[in-house]
């Protein structure tokens, strides 16, 4: 990075952290710390809901995925608008009128304490793992910039975020998110515009899309009914619907955002705001990744995006690497030549030549990846997350590169802060104040809430150390969530939709549903987008069956 | 444990659309239109 980039990055981070501290001042009670005094307007909550979901992973992981795999990941968001409407009609009024801190408190009122405890534990498990990956992605960016190891950058990012969250509470999180989202939107348009502008003269958006289409990267709609194929229209629409239902309806990191609304209307509007904007925004981000892919037809992309691994490989395989590098460069030259034909309107005749060259580029890369994996004792290598930050640093003008990196950082920190805040809330309200010390003073409760925030931050760092080996960051976060979302959603469905459901049915149904999901994860080829639906259906069916057997256990709704 | 701060209100006016039913219909119509446009974008012969 240039000196100007560093100035922009440091100035931005100082400003946003200072603003967060200022906005979060005056927390006296845990109502303030966890629910921002329930005084927030829909647009602020709506932007915060959006910012909590859009972390640095959205830039780093999604754009990298679009570069490597195309835009089919977009279907993951297709179920979101329908899920938002469903939530506004069902659980949001229940939560709001029950005046709870956590979504899981409602389950004790509806069923019993053990069902609440089980569901809260599932949330802590899934979100606790995901937050580690959320921390890993921006730390990865920092490691690329500074040339440090990922361990150091994870500790730096995690540590500074923990400090910020401990002070600010939910009000600070929400107001910081409002500012972040404005800048994130600016960053999205900036990156899209720059990627488009940096295509060669005479090479327009239509030519770029033609190339991307030839490789299948524009393919979004896959109508295959297969349960094992990734990102089909049905898995996105149906599976994605249930994932979004679970994420926005049962995940405390989101529920806590809209519980801060000043009225039920404000909370509902905050979710519908996201229903309108989420899919177009993801489309733009994915398209930016595709444009970066086309951009690298006319600029030389590295053989491996992870510079540290490339250096290790160069030292360990001095005889084999040059041959792979030569093969790669020859394939790139052939691909550039074929891509030029698209500009001259010779797409039909050049397509075959172009595809052969592109396949050769990918084959050379696979060969290099094979060498890295051999060098690392068979450990899986994935550099998808390095693509976008590498592009930004190498190709954006001084100042703008720093701004985009700053946006990635600050967005990540605000997302992390919301997640640390929600993990601390669930631990504090569902366990500490429920089991250990129900009648603590405000000062004591605030102190414990802050200590729990620190503890969750530390745990996130531990998970982040392992996150690099899991693959694409965005997919990993969603995969971790899908391990627990099904059973949580199933228990909430029993609570809201099945008056006949008993406490015993909900508890044992939840455990059985989790067993079904773990069986799917380890023993079946079913794609993770289906886990939530199958898990929720299993809980609902088993829970109802047990309730029918033990009708006397029924708890009135 | 109940939040003890400000009492909840749910009688705010529904902005722009007037009724919840109209907002929900608009969200669903918009989502379907966006999906249709994306399908068109994906299949367009560039």
């Amino acid at each position: 990075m240039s000196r100007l980039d560093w100035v922009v990055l440091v100035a931005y981070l100082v400003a946003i952290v200072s603003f967060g501290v200022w906005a979060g001042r005056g927390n006296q009670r845990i109502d303030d710390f966890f629910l921002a005094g329930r005084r927030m307007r829909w647009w602020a909550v709506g932007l915060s809901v959006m910012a909590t979901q859009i972390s640095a992973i959205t830039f780093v992981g999604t754009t990298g995925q679009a570069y490597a795999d195309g835009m089919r990941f977009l279907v993951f968001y297709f179920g979101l608008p329908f899920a938002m409407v469903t939530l506004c009609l069902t659980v949001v009024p229940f939560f709001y009128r029950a005046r709870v801190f956590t979504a899981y408190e409602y389950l004790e009122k509806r069923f019993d304490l053990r069902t609440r405890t089980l569901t809260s534990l599932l949330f802590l498990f899934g979100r606790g793992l995901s937050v580690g990956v959320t921390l890993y992605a921006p730390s990865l960016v920092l490691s690329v910039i500074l040339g440090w190891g990922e361990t150091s950058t994870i500790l730096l990012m995690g540590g500074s975020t923990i400090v910020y969250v401990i002070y600010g509470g939910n009000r600070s999180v929400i107001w910081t998110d409002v500012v972040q989202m404005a800048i994130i939107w600016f960053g999205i348009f900036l990156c899209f515009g720059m990627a488009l502008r940096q295509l060669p003269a005479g090479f327009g958006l239509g030519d770029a899309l033609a190339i991307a289409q030839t490789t299948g990267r524009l393919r979004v709609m896959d109508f295959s009914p297969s349960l094992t194929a990734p990102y089909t229209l049905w898995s996105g629409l149906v599976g994605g619907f249930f994932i979004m239902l679970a994420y926005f309806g049962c995940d405390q990191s989101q529920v806590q955002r809209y519980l801060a609304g000043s009225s039920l209307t404000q909370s509902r509007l905050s979710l519908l705001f996201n229903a309108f904007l989420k899919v177009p925004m993801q489309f733009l981000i994915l398209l930016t990744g595709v444009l970066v892919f086309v951009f690298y037809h006319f600029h030389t992309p590295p053989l491996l995006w992870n510079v540290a691994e490339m250096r290790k490989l160069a030292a360990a395989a001095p005889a084999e690497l040059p041959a792979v590098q030569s093969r790669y460069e020859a394939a790139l030259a052939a691909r550039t030549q074929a891509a030029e034909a698209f500009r001259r309107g010779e797409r039909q005749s050049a397509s075959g030549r172009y595809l052969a060259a592109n396949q050769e580029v990918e084959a050379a890369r696979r060969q290099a990846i094979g060498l890295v994996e051999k060098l690392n004792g068979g450990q899986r290598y994935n550099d998808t997350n390095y693509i976008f930050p590498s592009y930004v640093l190498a190709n954006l003008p001084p100042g703008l590169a720093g701004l985009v990196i700053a946006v990635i950082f600050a967005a990540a920190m605000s997302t992390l802060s919301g997640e640390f805040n929600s993990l601390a809330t669930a631990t504090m309200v569902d366990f500490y104040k429920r089991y250990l010390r129900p009648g603590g003073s405000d000062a004591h409760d605030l102190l414990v809430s802050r200590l729990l925030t620190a503890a969750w931050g530390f745990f996130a760092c531990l998970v982040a150390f392992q996150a690099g080996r899991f693959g694409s960051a965005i997919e990993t976060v969603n995969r971790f969530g899908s391990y627990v979302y099904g059973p949580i959603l199933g228990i909430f469905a029993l609570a809201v939709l099945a008056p006949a459901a008993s406490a015993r049915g909900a508890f044992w149904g939840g455990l059985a549903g989790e067993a079904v999901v773990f069986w799917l994860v380890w023993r079946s080829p079913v794609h993770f987008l289906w886990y939530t639906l199958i898990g929720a259906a299993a809980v609902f069916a088993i829970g109802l069956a047990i309730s029918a057997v033990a009708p006397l256990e029924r708890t009135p709704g | 444990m109940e939040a003890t701060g400000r009492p909840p209100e749910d009688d705010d006016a529904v902005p722009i659309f007037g009724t919840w039913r109209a907002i929900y219909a608009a969200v669903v119509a918009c989502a379907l239109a966006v999906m249709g446009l994306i399908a068109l974008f994906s299949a367009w012969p560039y």
Side-chain angles (χ1 to χ4, degrees):
Chain A
M1 291 212 302
S2 71
R3 187 172 292 180
L4 183 59
D5 289 326
W6 280 111
V7 170
V8 171
L9 177 60
V10 172
Y12 186 79
L13 287 176
V14 169
I16 204 70
V17 171
S18 306
F19 175 72
V21 169
W22 177 79
R25 70 197 183 284
N27 286 321
Q28 302 289 329
R29 310 153 48 88
I30 59 169
D31 296 60
D32 300 323
F33 192 74
F34 289 140
L35 294 181
R38 295 171 74 118
R39 289 175 186 278
M40 307 305 290
R41 303 293 294 174
W42 68 269
W43 52 271
V45 178
L47 286 169
S48 183
V49 164
M50 193 179 274
T52 300
Q53 200 195 18
I54 301 170
S55 68
I57 291 175
T58 306
F59 283 97
V60 174
T62 311
T63 44
Q65 188 144 342
Y67 179 101
D69 187 46
M71 297 182 67
R72 60 191 178 140
F73 184 66
L74 187 61
V75 297
F76 178 69
Y77 297 96
F78 277 8
L80 186 145
F82 308 105
M84 293 305 198
V85 170
T86 308
L87 289 173
C88 287
L89 287 165
T90 54
V91 297
V92 177
F94 276 101
F95 289 156
Y96 203 86
R97 290 174 182 143
R99 298 186 54 68
V100 290
F101 278 90
T102 73
Y104 320 113
E105 275 185 274
Y106 168 72
L107 294 175
E108 185 177 355
K109 297 183 181 192
R110 171 65 180 85
F111 294 125
D112 60 4
L113 177 59
R114 65 178 180 171
T115 306
R116 168 186 176 181
T117 303
L118 170 69
T119 317
S120 189
L121 271 177
L122 288 175
F123 160 72
L124 292 175
F125 174 75
R127 181 51 56 197
L129 287 177
S130 299
V131 76
V133 185
T134 309
L135 170 60
Y136 164 73
S139 302
L140 168 77
V141 177
L142 194 59
S143 76
V144 171
I145 295 167
L146 301 175
W148 294 358
E150 284 170 16
T151 304
S152 316
T153 54
I154 285 167
L155 287 175
L156 179 66
M157 173 71 76
S160 55
T161 308
I162 291 164
V163 172
Y164 164 65
V165 183
I166 284 174
Y167 185 81
N170 201 14
R171 190 183 291 118
S172 170
V173 170
I174 290 175
W175 282 118
T176 310
D177 286 351
V178 170
V179 177
Q180 302 295 343
M181 269 320 299
I183 297 164
I184 286 169
W185 272 101
F186 175 75
I188 291 169
F189 281 109
L190 175 73
C191 292
F192 181 80
M194 290 306 295
L196 194 59
R197 189 169 170 269
Q198 288 174 337
L199 293 173
F203 198 89
L205 179 62
D207 300 319
L209 294 177
I211 284 183
Q213 193 171 48
T214 305
T215 64
R217 279 177 172 74
L218 296 191
R219 190 176 175 209
V220 179
M221 305 292 191
D222 177 356
F223 294 94
S224 161
S226 166
L227 290 181
T228 55
Y231 308 122
T232 65
L233 178 64
W234 314 117
S235 70
L237 212 49
V238 182
F241 169 76
F242 281 94
I243 287 179
M244 297 303 170
L245 217 50
Y247 176 60
F248 288 98
C250 314
D251 188 310
Q252 181 63 18
S253 69
Q254 284 296 354
V255 173
Q256 196 167 343
R257 300 283 85 72
Y258 57 79
L259 282 179
S262 62
S263 70
L264 177 56
T265 298
Q266 301 295 316
S267 297
R268 278 176 165 155
L269 288 174
S270 69
L271 290 181
L272 296 179
F273 175 72
N274 280 269
F276 276 114
L277 287 181
K278 184 68 184 173
V279 176
M281 188 176 75
Q282 288 299 141
F283 173 81
L284 208 56
I285 293 172
L286 282 161
L287 191 57
T288 303
V290 167
L291 285 182
V292 171
F293 167 74
V294 177
F295 167 87
Y296 277 114
H297 282 62
F298 306 100
H299 300 78
T300 306
L303 179 59
L304 298 174
W305 293 95
N306 185 331
V307 181
E309 289 294 338
M310 187 66 186
R311 272 196 220 107
K312 260 171 65 182
L313 186 62
E320 291 159 291
L321 185 60
V324 181
Q325 187 78 47
S326 301
R327 179 188 178 190
Y328 182 63
E329 284 166 10
L332 282 176
R335 189 176 75 168
T336 303
Q337 209 172 23
E340 288 284 354
F342 280 73
R343 176 166 43 176
R344 297 191 297 268
E346 299 164 8
R347 179 182 176 182
Q348 294 299 330
S349 57
S351 285
R353 194 157 38 97
Y354 168 78
L355 279 174
N358 193 48
Q359 278 168 9
E360 178 64 7
V361 168
E362 286 169 7
R365 243 179 72 74
R366 276 199 301 277
Q367 194 180 352
I369 288 169
L371 290 175
V372 173
E373 288 178 346
K374 193 173 148 194
L375 181 66
N376 292 331
Q379 190 180 317
R380 191 177 158 213
Y381 170 84
N382 187 314
D383 58 6
T384 310
N385 301 324
Y386 288 79
I387 296 171
F388 189 66
S390 303
Y391 161 76
V392 166
L393 289 174
N395 298 289
L396 260 57
L400 287 184
L403 181 64
V404 173
I405 298 299
V407 168
I408 293 171
F409 266 56
M413 288 172 75
S414 73
T415 300
L416 286 170
S417 65
E419 293 185 345
F420 290 165
N421 194 234
S422 65
L423 287 164
T425 307
T427 316
M428 179 73 187
V429 175
D430 293 332
F431 295 93
Y432 186 82
K433 281 188 78 66
R434 186 65 185 81
Y435 286 104
L436 297 176
R437 193 162 172 181
S441 67
D442 288 339
H444 173 83
D445 288 350
L446 260 182
L447 175 67
V448 176
S449 301
R450 287 177 164 141
L451 288 175
L452 287 170
T453 306
W456 275 111
F458 179 70
F459 179 75
C461 291
L462 292 182
V463 175
F465 294 146
Q466 300 300 320
R469 65 185 63 181
F470 299 144
S472 162
I474 186 87
E475 192 173 297
T476 303
V477 164
N478 291 316
R479 196 149 29 96
F480 279 154
S482 68
Y483 293 168
V484 295
Y485 279 164
I488 294 177
L489 182 63
I491 291 170
F492 274 99
L494 282 172
V496 175
L497 302 176
S502 69
R504 182 177 290 178
F507 180 76
W508 290 107
L511 283 180
E514 192 56 63
V516 168
V517 172
F518 277 109
W519 181 83
L520 288 173
V521 173
W522 271 286
R523 296 286 174 188
S524 84
V526 171
H527 192 256
F528 80 88
L529 280 181
W530 293 103
Y531 294 169
T532 303
L533 170 59
I534 296 171
V539 173
F540 199 78
I542 297 168
L544 276 184
I546 294 172
S547 301
V549 172
L552 293 178
E553 293 264 333
R554 186 186 309 162
T555 308
Chain B
M1 184 184 156
E2 228 176 53
T4 54
R6 194 167 168 271
E9 297 164 5
D10 56 3
D11 56 351
D12 286 9
V14 181
I16 304 172
F17 294 88
T19 64
W20 286 113
R21 186 179 291 186
I23 286 197
Y24 297 148
V27 168
V28 170
C30 182
L32 293 174
V34 167
M35 277 186 254
L37 287 172
I38 288 169
L40 191 65
F41 165 86
S42 184
W44 190 263
Y46 296 101

